[in-house]
Amino acid sequence: MYDMNYGTSFSGLATAGIWGIIALVIAICATIVIFVLFLTKKNEKKYKGFLGWLYDFLTFKKFVIDYILRFTYVCLAIYLTLASFGLIGTSFLLFLTTLIGGNLVLRIAYEFSLMLINICVNVAEINKKMK
């Protein structure tokens, strides 16, 4: 028997593939235009406000990972603390281990991550001052 969905599935995949190629070509062209007109070295101190922020963001002078890590740390610490209370009925020792040990391990892991980011920022600042 002939499957009626086979033709539409293949057609949908072909359309998605063609759109993917078109999107790739547009993305490459837009990237070239942005790099040539906007992200040149001569424009480094030219922009203020949102365009200045966007320039710094696209040239990786501003790190977003710092804020993301801080947000996820607070969220995971609250989750771990609240989830540990569900373990009281199972084992009080497991509850204490999760509440204290889990939060301690989480804090150390996030401090290590932020320390690496701070080292990167400090090295970049030292490099800038050396020139």
Side-chain angles (χ1 to χ4, degrees):
M1 277 183 88
Y2 179 70
D3 186 11
M4 296 296 279
N5 290 329
Y6 180 73
T8 56
S9 299
F10 182 72
S11 176
L13 286 175
T15 303
I18 291 170
W19 176 245
I21 292 169
I22 292 170
L24 179 63
V25 170
I26 292 171
I28 291 171
C29 292
T31 302
I32 291 170
V33 168
I34 288 171
F35 266 85
V36 169
L37 298 178
F38 183 65
L39 295 178
T40 60
K41 199 71 166 161
K42 68 176 181 167
N43 291 337
E44 188 168 355
K45 302 286 183 188
K46 181 178 177 183
Y47 300 110
K48 303 286 184 222
F50 176 74
L51 286 179
W53 176 87
L54 185 63
Y55 182 87
D56 289 343
F57 178 77
L58 291 176
T59 55
F60 291 93
K61 292 185 181 177
K62 300 279 185 194
F63 289 117
V64 177
I65 191 75
D66 185 39
Y67 302 109
I68 293 171
L69 282 175
R70 291 171 196 257
F71 177 83
T72 57
Y73 167 73
V74 171
C75 184
L76 287 174
I78 291 171
Y79 170 76
L80 195 59
T81 302
L82 293 175
S84 69
F85 284 100
L87 300 172
I88 291 178
T90 307
S91 167
F92 187 73
L93 184 62
L94 185 60
F95 158 70
L96 282 179
T97 304
T98 305
L99 181 65
I100 297 169
N103 276 305
L104 185 63
V105 169
L106 182 68
R107 179 67 185 209
I108 290 170
Y110 273 84
E111 280 188 15
F112 182 73
S113 300
L114 286 172
M115 181 181 63
L116 290 175
I117 292 169
N118 285 335
I119 288 171
C120 178
V121 168
N122 289 340
V123 168
E125 287 178 9
I126 291 170
N127 190 27
K128 191 184 303 181
K129 288 180 181 180
M130 295 292 285
K131 290 182 179 177

